[in-house]
Amino acid sequence: MYQHKLEKDIRCPLEYGLEIFGGKWKSRIICVLAKKDVLRYSELRKEMGNITDAVLASMLKELIQNQMIERHSYDEIPPRVEYSLTPKGQSVVPILQSICKWSGIYYREDSENTMIQCQKCDYKE
Amino acid sequence: MYQHKLEKDIRCPLEYGLEIFGGKWKSRIICVLAKKDVLRYSELRKEMGNITDAVLASMLKELIQNQMIERHSYDEIPPRVEYSLTPKGQSVVPILQSICKWSGIYYREDSENTMIQCQKCDYKE
DNA sequence: CGGGATCCCATAGGATACTG
DNA sequence: CAGTATCCTATGGGATCCCG
């Protein structure tokens, strides 16, 4: 029969890190929160561009599980929920910026190797 | 009808970087090559653990396309092909190590926050 | 030896509708 | 407002066999 390995088999801290902030949306969420400090759900969604609720909510859940962000809900009507980075989440921002800087160098090699400003993580040089 | 966006839409250098060394295998390949300098195809596969040929070959292709690694084939019998990092590939190694270091801190928080040695990228402290 | 071809599956991510 | 629920699909990655 067909046999797949279902273990996550993270064999190296590197894989752990890439699991936590890899993928299409997580690093972006972290960058946006790093820039804005505290954001409500709807503000966050607006900053993210064309992400859907289903996806945004599941990303937030995973980031919370990994203790990268915090959720504060206020008992008001209409409801208010605010998200912010934890210390662990903040500690990864320099890494994301270094990736951003590295990528900026090679982003378009056909042009003149000019640095690109990143709107989200706010890296520029 | 059902309409998916098929554009890759990389909107930020950060995404470019994660595309290049993200995923399950690419960062590992880079780390192994950083440690060993030059490896034949079969040596590389052995170092990688349980990767299959189909996957390894496709990862190598993408890494070559992105100019992270170089392929040198020698006209011998039996054939010999060697892989090594390009300068661009080498330049990303410090980033991978910083991810590895960061991850090591949070890797298992239930234990005593001890650093973990990474066999592949050779990070230790 | 160094892969390619083919087939397959699991999962991340997306569309749409709906709710406390 | 801040999400769930449901359904769907595209893609990364894996298994197996084959070939110059």
Side-chain angles (χ1 to χ4, degrees):
Chain A
M1 248 298 275
Y2 216 77
Q3 200 65 1
H4 261 275
K5 349 192 81 78
L6 297 184
E7 331 106 41
K8 266 294 181 185
D9 78 325
I10 294 177
R11 291 143 298 180
C12 160
L14 182 51
E15 263 94 21
Y16 170 79
L18 290 174
E19 275 236 334
I20 285 192
F21 60 81
K24 182 167 179 182
W25 295 110
K26 287 178 187 166
S27 67
R28 179 170 296 272
I29 292 173
I30 295 169
C31 286
V32 166
L33 282 177
K35 198 173 168 185
K36 303 279 188 175
D37 271 7
V38 179
L39 284 178
R40 303 180 58 157
Y41 180 87
S42 53
E43 296 169 331
L44 193 44
R45 188 184 46 208
K46 200 194 289 185
E47 290 288 327
M48 296 295 297
N50 52 5
I51 196 172
T52 64
D53 283 321
V55 172
L56 177 54
S58 85
M59 294 299 135
L60 291 174
K61 228 171 226 174
E62 290 182 37
L63 286 167
I64 290 167
Q65 258 185 24
N66 289 320
Q67 293 159 102
M68 299 295 284
I69 64 175
E70 284 180 325
R71 195 191 109 114
H72 284 295
S73 77
Y74 300 85
D75 221 354
E76 304 174 356
I77 294 175
R80 180 159 63 104
V81 177
E82 291 182 344
Y83 293 91
S84 58
L85 291 180
T86 63
K88 181 179 176 184
Q90 287 166 16
S91 72
V92 88
V93 174
I95 292 179
L96 298 184
Q97 287 177 334
S98 74
I99 297 174
C100 200
K101 179 174 179 179
W102 178 86
S103 302
I105 299 173
Y106 298 102
Y107 195 13
R108 20 174 210 184
E109 322 179 286
D110 32 0
S111 67
E112 337 71 48
N113 265 9
T114 43
M115 229 37 121
I116 307 230
Q117 169 152 10
C118 175
Q119 303 296 332
K120 305 302 177 185
C121 66
D122 215 14
Y123 169 75
K124 53 199 148 208
E125 187 167 343
Chain B
M1 247 301 274
Y2 217 76
Q3 200 65 2
H4 261 275
K5 355 191 76 82
L6 297 183
E7 330 107 41
K8 266 293 180 190
D9 76 327
I10 294 176
R11 292 143 297 181
C12 160
L14 182 51
E15 263 93 22
Y16 169 80
L18 290 175
E19 275 235 334
I20 286 192
F21 60 81
K24 182 167 180 184
W25 295 110
K26 287 179 189 167
S27 66
R28 178 169 297 272
I29 292 173
I30 295 169
C31 286
V32 166
L33 282 177
K35 199 174 169 185
K36 303 281 188 174
D37 271 9
V38 179
L39 285 177
R40 302 180 59 159
Y41 181 86
S42 52
E43 298 170 329
L44 194 45
R45 188 182 47 207
K46 200 194 290 186
E47 291 287 328
M48 296 295 298
N50 51 6
I51 196 173
T52 62
D53 282 322
V55 173
L56 177 55
S58 85
M59 294 300 136
L60 290 174
K61 225 172 225 174
E62 290 181 39
L63 286 168
I64 290 169
Q65 257 183 24
N66 290 319
Q67 293 158 102
M68 300 294 284
I69 64 175
E70 283 179 326
R71 195 190 109 114
H72 283 294
S73 77
Y74 300 84
D75 222 352
E76 305 174 356
I77 293 176
R80 181 160 63 105
V81 177
E82 292 182 343
Y83 292 92
S84 57
L85 291 180
T86 63
K88 180 179 177 184
Q90 287 167 15
S91 72
V92 89
V93 174
I95 292 179
L96 298 185
Q97 287 177 336
S98 74
I99 297 173
C100 200
K101 179 175 179 179
W102 178 86
S103 301
I105 299 173
Y106 298 102
Y107 195 13
R108 16 174 212 187
E109 323 179 285
D110 32 0
S111 68
E112 335 72 47
N113 264 10
T114 43
M115 229 37 122
I116 308 230
Q117 169 152 10
C118 176
Q119 302 297 333
K120 305 302 178 186
C121 67
D122 214 15
Y123 168 74
K124 53 200 148 208
E125 186 167 341

